[in-house]
Amino acid sequence: MNLFLLAASSSGASSGQKTGGTLDMIVMLLPMILIFGVMWFVMIRPQRKKQKEEEKMRNNIQIGDEILTIGGFYGRVVSIKEDAIIFESASDHTKQKIARWAIQQNLTVHDD
């Protein structure tokens, strides 16, 4: 009980200094804000840029393009649907339907 009263009285004494308390709070939060800013530019921003480039590559696939899937299959695009692509394998000419997100690389060079 005495500890509770001691803690309450000490917090009441420090609450009288509002300007010093907010300055202390800003000084304590500044390193955390700086660390988050550095993490944004080092980790998050490049990852988002890479995701946008991959999405652009997947949206620019055309019929006849040579592609590589994330599973390691090579093939030529035969048909394009909204969220799927049908491609023909290079070795035995079998047709397979894959999701658009499963394309790892477009091996055909286009002049854009």
Side-chain angles (χ1 to χ4, degrees), residues 2-103:
N2 289 337
L3 275 155
F4 178 72
L5 292 173
L6 181 64
S9 66
S10 67
S11 67
S14 66
S15 66
Q17 299 175 341
K18 290 186 178 183
T19 57
T22 56
L23 183 61
D24 290 341
M25 183 69 92
I26 292 172
V27 170
M28 286 177 25
L29 290 176
L30 190 61
M32 295 175 87
I33 293 169
L34 289 174
I35 289 171
F36 180 75
V38 169
M39 284 179 56
W40 173 266
F41 281 104
V42 172
M43 296 171 58
I44 298 170
R45 187 171 176 250
Q47 180 65 28
R48 284 191 178 177
K49 185 177 178 182
K50 183 180 175 185
Q51 286 175 345
K52 285 181 182 180
E53 289 174 359
E54 288 175 352
E55 187 68 26
K56 182 180 174 187
M57 179 269 303
R58 290 180 180 124
N59 288 334
N60 290 334
I61 296 281
Q62 300 173 0
I63 294 176
D65 286 354
E66 293 284 330
I67 61 169
L68 172 65
T69 67
I70 59 173
F73 293 106
Y74 288 91
R76 181 179 304 270
V77 176
V78 176
S79 175
I80 299 175
K81 309 271 180 169
E82 189 174 320
D83 290 334
I85 290 181
I86 299 174
F87 76 101
E88 184 177 62
S89 68
S91 60
D92 57 356
H93 302 289
T94 58
K95 293 181 181 175
Q96 296 182 12
K97 182 178 181 180
I98 61 168
R100 209 178 261 270
W101 59 264
I103 298 172

